[in-house]
Amino acid sequence: MEFELLILGTSSALPAHGRFPSCYALQLEDRSYLFDCGEGAQIRMSDFGVSPQRIHQIFISHLHGDHFFGLPGVITSQALLGRTAPLSIFGPPELEKLMRPLVTQKDTDLPFELRFESIDPLGDKRLIFEDDRVEIGCFPLQHRVPTMGFWVKEKAVALNILPEAIQKYGLSVEQIKSIKKGEDLTLADGSWIANQKLTLPPFRTRTFVYCTDTRIQWELAELFHQPDLLLHETTFTEEFAQRANETGHATAAQAAELAKRMQAGKLITGHYSSRFRDLQPVLEEALSIYPDTWLGEEGGRYRVLRTRVGEPPAFERTLSP
Amino acid sequence: MEFELLILGTSSALPAHGRFPSCYALQLEDRSYLFDCGEGAQIRMSDFGVSPQRIHQIFISHLHGDHFFGLPGVITSQALLGRTAPLSIFGPPELEKLMRPLVTQKDTDLPFELRFESIDPLGDKRLIFEDDRVEIGCFPLQHRVPTMGFWVKEKAVALNILPEAIQKYGLSVEQIKSIKKGEDLTLADGSWIANQKLTLPPFRTRTFVYCTDTRIQWELAELFHQPDLLLHETTFTEEFAQRANETGHATAAQAAELAKRMQAGKLITGHYSSRFRDLQPVLEEALSIYPDTWLGEEGGRYRVLRTRVGEPPAFERTLSP
């Protein structure tokens, strides 16, 4: 299964230099989980070929406009596209009150259920959503208004049985089912075969951690160990460290140091100040501390490949032409 | 003085093919009057080099999202840019209730006065705003929700006195002032000189008429005679005439026929359905009826040049590279 972060918007508060406000889609095959939804999100989806129909959950980190002003467009355009599947939006408690009047004027009544799930951004790290593919949770960040980060953990999938084991033991459908779930095999003669001898090693369950907007929080290294992808805001470079601290943002060097402490598979940068036309200084600052850094770019697709336990994690990216 | 329509968004409800929702800036030198403000308006301003600071009035035709979902971004970004000058938004009565909570959350209190001017879209043609350069008014359109069009009429400027007249009659400062206003000259000996003999012909006062979204309304030809620029929606071509009528929109042929009846200087098309990737069919349909048609394109600048009464109107356009 594909596990891909598609970046739709990397700008901080002021869109500039062709960059759009925050929006990130984590894609697992035909499903997209959207993290933040800045103005123009639906335009970026159109630009990069993401059908809004594949989004069923949207997670809003906080109520600054550059993180949620794209919601009304994403919601109402889906009505025009004939959506019928429910759409859930997880975000701070005030979000529903701000959004619902905008998207449910009489003429544009929605042909699908729109659910707002009110989340307290200041609560402890916890699970807020799960389906058959992922668990998604939140944790508190430190910004000028209540803000949360999000984590995503892929669920384990059924094990692959070794073809020779099926033949050797003449496995029944029932036995195959239980082995795929990880159970050991007990034969008719009472002898016992460990699951590992019957199956290929399981797939690694991949993880994504999303931190924007926030002042640097070193204690996150205690919450997350070796996430595959860490999207951390890098609004500024060290030259503007004081401004970063005052405005509740992080520098590229800080994000890289945090990635190092977490031993992240890849740090992906983002949420760039409009003062940076060229992002090379941001990337270079992060790379000097953490070589496993990728510059977050709009239209970029950042993948964690499917590997098995015992194999090293593998990554791949495709940038927009 | 420059009189230029800069197009920022030409898409109808669904943004597609790189086209943004409705947004049009009429620019008179250092002032921009904004007509509609679809999602991404501030991004388009950044793309095409329009400082939001030069906008003091925004006119919203109706409350479909593709015409006003860009307002929160335009408003809050100006706070970040340090705006202090008041900003007035003219639109249907419900607009303020939808917008103000979004843009005045505690953390983002605005450092400038934000005025909402409530306008009944269904009222008769009338004046709703004037400053020293223009009069701006509204008139009712026919769409699925209450919708208005807007008209702009440039105000007359001071006349230019013929240099030889100043010498010949030894004009005083007071006399010059009154002649510039259009008054005749009475000399000390009681003789009388007509203003036209003392001045160059006045500049033509230029006009702009904005009609979107609307079913075709032939009676507009009675309201407007020879507008310089007529921006009329052309959501569909004739092939989809029935759909146009059902959804409260117009075809390119209809808009062209209306432009012909009005004797518009230039018809400019816009508000294109996402079904048209290529806009050539829209343009060709309009051109076949009204040769003075320009295809409305994002980043395009459509100018009415300054000419004097008695000279033919002159137009010029520059498209985005």
Side-chain angles (χ1 to χ4, degrees):
Chain A
M1 185 157 58
E2 172 199 77
F3 188 100
E4 168 188 283
L5 183 69
L6 167 63
I7 301 189
L8 299 167
T10 60
S11 182
S12 63
L14 282 179
H17 321 306
R19 301 194 294 257
F20 281 57
S22 294
C23 189
Y24 300 82
L26 186 72
Q27 312 207 108
L28 279 86
E29 299 293 339
D30 58 334
R31 284 186 213 162
S32 290
Y33 306 87
L34 208 64
F35 294 89
D36 284 328
C37 189
E39 181 176 357
Q42 63 165 334
I43 295 164
R44 277 319 212 188
M45 288 183 204
S46 162
D47 290 346
F48 302 128
V50 180
S51 165
Q53 303 275 32
R54 58 187 274 180
I55 299 166
H56 295 267
Q57 287 80 31
I58 303 177
F59 301 85
I60 303 295
S61 62
H62 67 298
L63 296 186
H64 280 155
D66 56 322
H67 293 254
F68 78 104
F69 281 171
L71 274 179
V74 166
I75 296 168
T76 55
S77 287
Q78 303 227 25
L80 292 168
L81 293 167
R83 183 188 185 109
T84 55
L87 178 66
S88 293
I89 301 176
F90 298 75
E94 303 79 4
L95 185 59
E96 177 165 15
K97 198 179 63 199
L98 295 171
M99 283 295 116
R100 210 177 269 284
L102 272 177
V103 300
T104 51
Q105 297 175 69
K106 208 173 169 197
D107 174 70
T108 55
D109 272 354
L110 301 174
F112 57 89
E113 187 189 352
L114 178 64
R115 299 175 189 147
F116 284 89
E117 311 280 355
S118 167
I119 311 286
D120 174 11
L122 301 178
D124 284 343
K125 181 186 174 203
R126 63 199 188 277
L127 180 72
I128 57 175
F129 170 78
E130 66 178 311
D131 61 17
D132 58 328
R133 293 189 189 163
V134 291
E135 293 183 337
I136 299 181
C138 67
F139 54 94
L141 294 175
Q142 278 185 13
H143 191 45
R144 304 195 305 279
V145 297
T147 303
M148 62 191 125
F150 299 104
W151 53 267
V152 180
K153 185 168 170 48
E154 185 183 24
K155 285 188 173 177
V157 295
L159 295 166
N160 295 132
I161 300 186
L162 295 164
E164 57 269 31
I166 298 178
Q167 263 195 326
K168 183 169 176 187
Y169 301 109
L171 298 177
S172 69
V173 172
E174 282 312 305
Q175 284 172 318
I176 289 173
K177 273 192 191 166
S178 77
I179 293 167
K180 276 174 171 285
K181 285 182 195 159
E183 290 171 29
D184 298 328
L185 176 67
T186 309
L187 295 171
D189 67 359
S191 63
W192 174 90
I193 321 254
N195 186 280
Q196 297 95 295
K197 300 223 161 162
L198 301 163
T199 57
L200 284 170
F203 290 112
R204 292 178 62 251
T205 53
R206 294 161 287 187
T207 52
F208 168 57
V209 175
Y210 178 81
C211 303
T212 184
D213 296 352
T214 191
R215 216 169 265 126
I216 196 68
Q217 282 193 270
W218 303 117
E219 56 272 34
L220 292 181
E222 287 150 36
L223 288 187
F224 300 104
H225 183 60
Q226 298 183 339
D228 289 298
L229 300 181
L230 168 65
L231 184 298
H232 198 289
E233 73 138 278
T234 53
T235 308
F236 296 102
T237 50
E238 277 297 299
E239 186 186 350
F240 307 99
Q242 193 184 333
R243 176 131 183 86
N245 189 53
E246 283 163 10
T247 56
H249 289 297
T251 69
Q254 290 169 335
E257 176 61 31
L258 181 64
K260 193 174 176 180
R261 295 189 194 180
M262 283 188 183
Q263 300 174 40
K266 290 286 178 188
L267 166 66
I268 301 170
T269 60
H271 200 266
Y272 310 114
S273 165
S274 59
R275 78 189 63 216
F276 301 108
R277 174 179 288 277
D278 175 12
L279 298 172
Q280 208 53 32
V282 177
L283 176 62
E284 281 169 13
E285 181 173 300
L287 278 175
S288 72
I289 292 170
Y290 199 61
D292 279 319
T293 298
W294 272 340
L295 185 74
E297 294 181 53
E298 291 177 32
R301 293 167 188 271
Y302 304 80
R303 283 183 286 275
V304 188
L305 303 182
R306 204 175 210 186
T307 53
R308 294 184 185 277
V309 168
E311 296 172 359
F315 303 91
E316 180 183 274
R317 72 174 153 172
T318 318
L319 300 182
S320 184
Chain B
M1 184 157 59
E2 171 198 79
F3 187 100
E4 167 188 284
L5 183 70
L6 166 62
I7 300 189
L8 299 167
T10 60
S11 182
S12 64
L14 283 178
H17 321 306
R19 300 193 295 258
F20 280 57
S22 294
C23 189
Y24 300 83
L26 186 72
Q27 313 209 107
L28 278 84
E29 299 294 338
D30 58 334
R31 286 188 209 160
S32 291
Y33 305 87
L34 208 63
F35 294 88
D36 284 327
C37 189
E39 180 175 358
Q42 65 167 331
I43 296 164
R44 276 323 211 186
M45 288 182 205
S46 162
D47 290 346
F48 302 128
V50 180
S51 163
Q53 303 274 32
R54 58 186 274 178
I55 298 166
H56 295 266
Q57 287 80 32
I58 303 178
F59 300 85
I60 302 296
S61 62
H62 67 296
L63 296 186
H64 279 156
D66 56 323
H67 293 255
F68 78 103
F69 282 172
L71 275 179
V74 166
I75 297 167
T76 54
S77 288
Q78 303 227 27
L80 293 168
L81 292 167
R83 183 190 186 108
T84 54
L87 178 66
S88 294
I89 301 176
F90 298 75
E94 304 78 4
L95 185 59
E96 177 165 14
K97 199 179 63 200
L98 296 171
M99 282 297 114
R100 211 177 270 284
L102 272 175
V103 300
T104 50
Q105 297 176 67
K106 208 173 168 195
D107 173 69
T108 55
D109 273 354
L110 301 175
F112 57 90
E113 187 190 350
L114 178 64
R115 299 175 187 150
F116 284 89
E117 310 279 354
S118 167
I119 310 287
D120 173 11
L122 300 179
D124 284 344
K125 180 187 175 202
R126 62 197 188 276
L127 180 73
I128 57 176
F129 170 78
E130 64 179 313
D131 61 16
D132 58 329
R133 292 188 190 164
V134 290
E135 295 184 333
I136 299 182
C138 67
F139 54 93
L141 294 175
Q142 280 186 12
H143 191 45
R144 305 194 304 278
V145 296
T147 302
M148 63 192 127
F150 299 103
W151 54 268
V152 180
K153 187 169 169 49
E154 187 183 19
K155 284 188 173 177
V157 294
L159 294 165
N160 294 131
I161 300 187
L162 296 164
E164 57 269 31
I166 299 178
Q167 265 194 323
K168 183 170 176 186
Y169 302 108
L171 298 176
S172 70
V173 172
E174 282 312 305
Q175 283 172 317
I176 289 174
K177 272 191 191 167
S178 76
I179 292 167
K180 278 176 171 281
K181 285 182 193 158
E183 290 172 29
D184 298 328
L185 176 67
T186 308
L187 296 172
D189 66 1
S191 64
W192 172 90
I193 322 255
N195 186 278
Q196 297 95 294
K197 300 220 161 164
L198 301 162
T199 56
L200 285 169
F203 290 114
R204 293 177 63 250
T205 54
R206 294 161 287 186
T207 53
F208 168 57
V209 175
Y210 178 81
C211 303
T212 185
D213 297 355
T214 191
R215 216 170 266 125
I216 195 69
Q217 281 193 271
W218 303 117
E219 57 272 34
L220 292 181
E222 288 149 37
L223 288 187
F224 301 103
H225 183 59
Q226 297 183 340
D228 290 299
L229 300 179
L230 167 65
L231 185 298
H232 198 289
E233 73 138 279
T234 53
T235 309
F236 296 104
T237 50
E238 277 297 298
E239 187 187 348
F240 307 99
Q242 194 185 332
R243 177 133 182 87
N245 190 53
E246 284 163 9
T247 56
H249 289 296
T251 68
Q254 291 170 336
E257 176 59 30
L258 181 64
K260 193 175 178 180
R261 296 189 192 180
M262 284 187 183
Q263 300 176 40
K266 292 286 179 190
L267 166 66
I268 301 170
T269 60
H271 199 267
Y272 310 114
S273 163
S274 60
R275 78 190 61 215
F276 301 107
R277 174 179 288 278
D278 175 14
L279 298 172
Q280 208 53 30
V282 176
L283 176 62
E284 281 169 14
E285 182 173 299
L287 279 175
S288 72
I289 292 169
Y290 199 60
D292 279 320
T293 298
W294 272 340
L295 185 74
E297 294 181 52
E298 292 176 30
R301 293 166 188 271
Y302 304 81
R303 283 182 285 274
V304 188
L305 303 182
R306 203 175 211 189
T307 54
R308 295 186 184 273
V309 168
E311 296 172 0
F315 304 90
E316 182 183 273
R317 69 174 155 175
T318 318
L319 300 181
S320 183

